[in-house]
Amino acid sequence: MNGGVFRDQVVIVTGASAGIGKALALNLAGQGARVAIAARRAERLEQVAADCCALGAEALVVPTDVADEAQCKALVEKTVTAFGRLDMLINNAGLAVLAQLEDFNDLSLFQHVMEVNFYGAVSCTYYALPYLKQSQGRIVAISSVGGKAALPCNSAYCASKHAMHGFFDALHLELARHGVSVTVICPW
């Protein structure tokens, strides 16, 4: 296991079963972090956990649908129970729907995108906040260029990512006095 900035830090990564979330979990594990990995697909999480453990890290698998507030609360509680604290929350879970608004049969899918991308990040952050204040930790929100500029056929996605920016920008101001950092990252 390599030493690094995140050695012995306890980190939750949502959306960790694939893509950016998986890469973050593995990178953090390689730097010695203890990772709690969350996503809906338990079997994929188990493989990511095995890969993290192969790097010498501790990994906790917590199958979680971030659209369910109770599961977000349980994710944080299980992490703190297992590792004793929380140093960083990475809100990475998300989804996109490629469609024009007029092509939606109803608004249920639009609402689901908001529940996952925006409210999932809000819920995880809300329940993690007391622990992050104790550790003067970090909150990371994985957004998108779609949170800064509109993309055609992505109204639900862009709306959810714009909401994330407003929320986390405000939270940054609220938490500065507590020593908690808030970072929004916009991959393309």
Side-chain angles (χ1 to χ4, degrees):
M1 174 168 54
N2 295 328
V5 174
F6 301 107
R7 184 173 181 77
D8 297 323
Q9 295 281 295
V10 175
V11 183
I12 293 175
V13 181
T14 68
S17 63
I20 292 171
K22 178 181 177 181
L24 286 167
L26 292 172
N27 190 294
L28 288 161
Q31 293 188 54
R34 295 183 288 168
V35 294
I37 53 175
R40 291 173 298 137
R41 296 174 285 198
E43 66 286 346
R44 286 183 146 185
L45 285 176
E46 292 294 346
Q47 182 57 57
V48 175
D51 294 343
C52 289
C53 291
L55 295 169
E58 292 180 66
L60 174 68
V61 171
V62 186
T64 305
D65 180 351
V66 297
D68 181 338
E69 181 183 343
Q71 290 187 42
C72 295
K73 180 179 182 184
L75 166 62
V76 172
E77 289 174 350
K78 288 176 183 178
T79 301
V80 173
T81 297
F83 295 128
R85 67 175 202 273
L86 180 60
D87 300 297
M88 181 167 40
L89 168 65
I90 301 177
N91 290 296
N92 173 68
L95 63 94
V97 176
L98 189 61
Q100 293 183 15
L101 182 61
E102 66 189 51
D103 294 332
F104 285 84
N105 293 328
D106 58 37
L107 290 177
S108 61
L109 188 54
F110 192 103
Q111 291 168 342
H112 184 64
V113 172
M114 291 298 292
E115 288 168 0
V116 171
N117 295 1
F118 177 62
Y119 288 111
V122 171
S123 294
C124 287
T125 301
Y126 177 79
Y127 291 107
L129 197 52
Y131 304 105
L132 293 170
K133 285 169 69 176
Q134 286 175 2
S135 66
Q136 293 189 317
R138 299 175 172 94
I139 299 168
V140 178
I142 305 299
S143 181
S144 165
V145 171
K148 293 286 190 184
L151 303 170
C153 299
N154 279 283
S155 57
Y157 182 77
C158 289
S160 69
K161 296 300 185 175
H162 274 78
M164 282 181 75
H165 282 259
F167 173 74
F168 285 108
D169 285 350
L171 198 61
H172 170 77
L173 299 174
E174 292 176 16
L175 295 177
R177 65 189 167 105
H178 296 287
V180 177
S181 71
V182 179
T183 304
V184 179
I185 299 173
C186 299
W188 173 250

